[in-house]
Amino acid sequence: MRFFCARCCSFGSEMPAVQLLLLACLVWDVGARTAQLRKANDRSGRCQYTFIVASPNESSCPEQSQAMSVIHNLQKDSSTQRLDLEATKARLSSLESLLHHQLTLDRAAGPQETQEGLQRELGTLRRERDQLETQTRELETAYSNLLRDKSVLEEEKKRLRQENENLARRLESSSQEVARLRRGQCPQTRDTARDVPPGSREVSTWNLDTLAFQELKSELTEVPASRILKESPSGHLRSREGDNGCGELVWVGEPLTLRTAETITGKYGVWMRDPKPTYPYTRETTWRIDTVGTDVRQVFEYDLISQFMQGYPSKVHILPRPLESTGAVVYSGSLYFQGAESRTVIRYELNTETVKAEKEIPGAGYHGQFPYSWGGYTDIDLAVDESGLWVIYSTDEAKGAIVLSKLNPENLELEQTWETNIRKQSVANAFIICGTLYTVSSYSSADATVNFAYDTGTGISKTLTIPFKNRYKYSSMIDYNPLEKKLFAWDNLNMVTYDIKLSKM
């Protein structure tokens, strides 16, 4: 390093350019107002930087030792500034990291909301999947039921084919009998006409020669057994005043099919007529409810039996709340039914389409706690007999045994209650005739029985073995109509009736 006086300083190339610049700045800062930097090779070819700075205070350059002290100070300042720069870089890196982290959090805020939306959508998809699985199970059940129905129909087809063959044989036999009668026909004489007893009607002679075929036909007139029993020896009817035709069930006839449901929603249901009809309804007015589904509200009304059999309703009621299962009845112009998923019995007046009364049955099981053996949420079953309105159910206190209560048809208050020793889930269905509860052993066996009877008058139960036919092998509803003295039932899409016979107790 070389130092030149005469108001100038010259340094060799050993001094870095940055330090020279810093020196120039420092000199400028301490009082110089003019400075020049020159760069040129010296005689030996080395690079030489020359600063020319006018000193405001000194008339000549300082000594060499003073210049070296200034240079050392400048080098220290440079090192300090370098350390400060490194520290600044470190802080800048830290700030950049914090900024990057904050940007990452800011970006994550949006995706978090998106993630919540995706979770909600996933929950919706899962619910839809569960619904589809439920529908699939229902369809599989319906399909299996249809297969079973198909087998039943095939059996019925075979039976009808056999009946047709029997009818063909009987027709052939009848034709042979007609031919025999033709061969042995005798003309009627006047003497024969004189032999007709007084008061009798003469039977006309068949004109067999003009007939290609004539069917032999007999007509039956139904006469109630009570009427026969009340006839006096002279043949005149005794007074029937005060008699309600009550007795003990001794026989149930073959089912008579009146109507078949059109869709699978009619797999099970309830149909009824009012045993105590009020205006504008008659004893022909029929009601029907298909009870397959979770929101059953439709009640089909038919003014005439013929409309019911043909499937043409005259009116459709929409209930204000859904009903549950097949325990509904119609009595004195009102529909009585169990509200869905509750132990509440509701009285719905059909003519005004309004709810007139509601009543919870104390402690009654509902929605699958104490159903009949076929299931279907048949925990609460309403019934009607000659004396009025009943409800059949069970409670925890009764430990699943059938409990009977007589209901006031106006306000649904419980008037009297009986507890039986018959387990409700061990029987397929129940109905009441003349104050006596009867149960059916099976809903699916073709050859079931009326197997128990409980008399509310004596509080005594007994076993029975009265044959009961489940023709279509899925009876979901059996009710007694005291006006018609018949059992109404719903058997695997089919609405049927049973004739019955009662004997005196």
Side-chain angles (χ1 to χ4, degrees), residues 412-443:
L412 300 176
E413 292 293 330
L414 275 65
E415 297 179 344
Q416 193 172 353
T417 298
W418 295 261
E419 184 177 321
T420 74
N421 58 354
I422 305 168
R423 284 188 55 79
K424 191 166 186 292
Q425 289 179 285
S426 68
V427 297
N429 226 303
F431 52 90
I432 300 175
I433 300 176
C434 301
T436 298
L437 172 79
Y438 295 93
T439 64
V440 178
S441 63
S442 173
Y443 66 92

Side-chain angles (χ1 to χ4, degrees), residues 107-126:
R107 292 194 199 99
Q112 183 176 2
E113 296 176 357
T114 305
Q115 185 176 8
E116 292 176 357
L118 290 174
Q119 289 291 342
R120 289 193 295 270
E121 185 175 356
L122 181 60
T124 302
L125 291 174
R126 284 174 176 169

Side-chain angles (χ1 to χ4, degrees), residues 368-427:
Q369 287 180 279
F370 301 110
Y372 291 126
S373 61
W374 75 271
Y377 301 136
T378 50
D379 302 74
I380 295 177
D381 187 14
L382 293 152
V384 175
D385 75 343
E386 289 78 3
S387 64
L389 182 64
W390 299 77
V391 59
I392 305 168
Y393 59 101
S394 186
T395 64
D396 288 329
E397 185 178 357
K399 298 180 181 179
I402 290 179
V403 178
L404 291 174
S405 291
K406 192 73 167 34
L407 294 180
N408 183 308
E410 292 295 324
N411 56 24
L412 300 176
E413 292 293 330
L414 275 65
E415 297 179 344
Q416 193 172 353
T417 298
W418 295 261
E419 184 177 321
T420 74
N421 58 354
I422 305 168
R423 284 188 55 79
K424 191 166 186 292
Q425 289 179 285
S426 68
V427 297

Side-chain angles (χ1 to χ4, degrees), residues 324-344:
E324 188 150 278
S325 197
T326 61
V329 295
V330 171
Y331 182 69
S332 192
S334 292
L335 172 71
Y336 298 85
F337 65 94
Q338 173 196 357
E341 298 188 27
S342 73
R343 56 172 60 94
T344 302

